[in-house]
Amino acid sequence: MKNILKENYIRLSFLFIILLSLISMCRSLLVPLVNDEITYFKIANNILKGKYYYTDYPSTVTPVISFVTAFFNSFLSQPYSLVFHKIFNILLYGFGLKYLYLLLKSQKLDHTIALLIVVLTVVNPISVSWFSTMYPEAILFFSFWGFMYCMTKEFSENTIIKLLFFFTVMCLTRYVYSVIGLVLLIRFYNDLIVNFNSRIWIITKYSIFFLIPVVIWIKYMMNVETNQLSGISYFNRFKTENPLLYNIKCGLGLEKHYLVDKVNGLPAFVSLFVPITGIRSFLISSVLFVVFLIGFIKKANTKALKIVLLSCILVMLGFVFAGTGFSRYWLVLLPIYFLGFYYFSKLIGINDKWFILISQCISVIYIINEFRVDYLVISKLYE
């Protein structure tokens, strides 16, 4: 009885922490659009005029965010369209957290630890700052973890539809996530070797259906890029001298990319875990990454978790070859890192109660910091 009460207390404290973080997320509803949000908003307005332009020229910026923005702009005036779009992203993030939790539970992870991974993801300072904005992170989180959860399900027409839907959304939200296609191909191969005749038609017809928008978009991009029509393009980073070598150096953090004002890649990995804006450290980031990797490789012994790890590594390698790696880019993968840290703690003999206690302390620090940021944001609005 005592243990049950203790577990219930811990879980209630987790839910309370999540609620406080969600309240802090809502500060973005009061903040005007900045940086890439303005880009998506301008493209969205031009979509409603019948053209995919940033200003006066076509754009090859991934289309999902701009089309979602255009949807809200089509029937709501500002600022209501922006507010509802941000609320929509928070809701998508919530569904992504649900998929994450269901996946963790399906891997026989202790209920408290599974909930703890969700809590650490929600209270993370980068999560609070970005998932409630009009940036792609919320849609990617929802799609990635929806995809991962469906990977654990048995073959069915419904499962194939969901896998292809989530994959298509990821591809058209951030190009790097196309590397997840390798994971999807592995899934299809495993499905087909079990029963080729009854499954090949289901996989083929839905693959063709969901690949149509991807193929159309690729054709559009090739036309814009080859004819140098783009007003704003993600692919400019591949038009430098020796682009592959240059981008790999930038993706590893050995060099600062000319398109940004700070070193990114691996040195920025540490900034994902500390409430200090813009921190960079190659050494600390390397240690954290190795700890996560060792823990995951040694302890994550289920097929589903191996697929999750493969997906994580593929995406991170994609960022390296693209020469990028802002801390917010790894937000989608954040639960994987926390799970790796947990497995590492098990590897070195740390009791779950200490891992839970340390995580609770970290969460409290995060929340206090977010209340400080809330105060600064609100104060600035009323200056």
Side-chain angles (χ1 to χ4, degrees):
M1 183 66 178
K2 186 178 179 180
N3 287 336
I4 293 174
L5 290 174
K6 185 178 179 181
E7 287 182 8
N8 287 336
Y9 168 76
I10 291 173
R11 291 165 187 173
L12 284 173
S13 69
F14 286 168
L15 292 173
F16 182 66
I17 289 170
I18 289 174
L19 178 62
L20 292 176
S21 296
L22 289 175
I23 291 172
S24 288
M25 277 187 185
C26 291
R27 67 172 180 252
S28 73
L29 304 180
L30 307 173
V31 178
L33 301 183
V34 295
N35 302 327
D36 288 352
E37 287 180 314
I38 297 173
T39 299
Y40 299 131
F41 186 76
K42 287 183 177 179
I43 294 174
N45 283 338
N46 282 323
I47 288 174
L48 296 177
K49 298 174 184 176
K51 52 188 180 181
Y52 197 83
Y53 282 21
Y54 171 57
T55 50
D56 300 321
Y57 299 94
S59 172
T60 53
V61 171
T62 47
V64 168
I65 295 294
S66 296
F67 274 97
V68 172
T69 306
F71 169 77
F72 285 103
N73 288 355
S74 67
F75 63 92
L76 290 170
S77 60
Q78 293 185 56
Y80 302 109
S81 64
L82 308 181
V83 170
F84 273 87
H85 188 170
K86 291 178 180 180
I87 292 174
F88 172 73
N89 278 354
I90 294 174
L91 291 174
L92 279 183
Y93 176 48
F95 281 113
L97 291 170
K98 178 183 176 181
Y99 282 129
L100 166 63
Y101 176 75
L102 291 174
L103 173 63
L104 295 176
K105 283 291 292 177
S106 71
Q107 301 311 297
K108 299 180 180 178
L109 200 66
D110 179 78
H111 176 78
T112 301
I113 298 299
L115 186 57
L116 177 60
I117 300 299
V118 174
V119 169
L120 288 172
T121 302
V122 175
V123 302
N124 180 273
I126 312 295
S127 294
V128 174
S129 297
W130 292 102
F131 279 127
S132 57
T133 66
M134 284 169 50
Y135 277 77
E137 273 58 44
I139 292 178
L140 285 170
F141 191 90
F142 163 73
S143 303
F144 180 86
W145 288 105
F147 181 91
M148 289 297 131
Y149 177 64
C150 288
M151 287 289 289
T152 67
K153 311 303 283 184
E154 295 295 325
F155 180 90
S156 70
E157 193 164 341
N158 188 46
T159 298
I160 296 301
I161 291 171
K162 287 182 178 179
L163 282 170
L164 286 164
F165 168 76
F166 288 132
F167 174 67
T168 301
V169 172
M170 283 189 284
C171 289
L172 297 179
T173 302
R174 183 166 285 148
Y175 296 127
V176 167
Y177 280 80
S178 299
V179 297
I180 300 295
L182 176 60
V183 177
L184 188 61
L185 288 174
I186 293 172
R187 166 63 193 251
F188 286 167
Y189 173 78
N190 290 332
D191 286 336
L192 290 173
I193 60 175
V194 172
N195 193 330
F196 182 88
N197 292 332
S198 66
R199 297 179 176 183
I200 184 63
W201 171 239
I202 293 174
I203 291 175
T204 301
K205 70 176 180 179
Y206 286 116
S207 294
I208 292 172
F209 176 79
F210 281 100
L211 282 176
I212 287 173
V214 177
V215 171
I216 291 173
W217 184 254
I218 291 173
K219 187 176 185 301
Y220 163 78
M221 285 194 304
M222 290 178 63
N223 179 57
V224 171
E225 293 294 332
T226 54
N227 292 292
Q228 298 183 345
L229 302 174
S230 180
I232 180 170
S233 169
Y234 177 84
F235 297 95
N236 286 337
R237 65 182 61 243
F238 299 107
K239 297 175 182 177
T240 59
E241 186 177 349
N242 297 319
L244 184 59
L245 179 61
Y246 177 71
N247 283 323
I248 289 175
K249 286 181 178 179
C250 294
L252 291 174
L254 303 175
E255 190 171 334
K256 183 180 77 68
H257 201 284
Y258 77 95
L259 290 174
V260 298
D261 59 357
K262 289 181 181 178
V263 172
N264 287 306
L266 185 58
F269 188 69
V270 64
S271 66
L272 193 59
F273 306 100
V274 295
I276 302 173
T277 304
I279 187 173
R280 300 288 189 271
S281 172
F282 197 95
L283 177 60
I284 298 175
S285 296
S286 299
V287 171
L288 287 172
F289 184 76
V290 169
V291 166
F292 137 73
L293 203 56
I294 291 175
F296 219 104
I297 291 174
K298 291 290 185 179
K299 284 292 191 177
N301 51 16
T302 68
K303 180 180 177 181
L305 290 179
K306 288 177 181 178
I307 290 172
V308 168
L309 179 61
L310 173 61
S311 301
C312 175
I313 298 302
L314 285 173
V315 172
M316 293 194 73
L317 286 174
F319 287 135
V320 169
F321 283 100
T324 188
F326 301 108
S327 54
R328 68 178 173 87
Y329 277 23
W330 299 319
L331 271 181
V332 175
L333 310 175
L334 187 59
I336 307 176
Y337 305 138
F338 285 134
L339 190 56
F341 295 154
Y342 168 69
Y343 282 137
F344 186 82
S345 73
K346 298 289 287 181
L347 193 64
I348 60 177
I350 296 177
N351 192 285
D352 281 1
K353 68 177 183 180
W354 291 111
F355 186 83
I356 293 170
L357 180 60
I358 292 170
S359 299
Q360 286 177 314
C361 292
I362 291 172
S363 297
V364 170
I365 293 171
Y366 281 165
I367 287 172
I368 292 172
N369 179 68
E370 290 309 317
F371 281 166
R372 177 187 66 85
V373 176
D374 293 342
Y375 173 77
L376 292 174
V377 170
I378 295 172
S379 297
K380 190 172 182 179
L381 290 172
Y382 289 97
E383 283 181 354

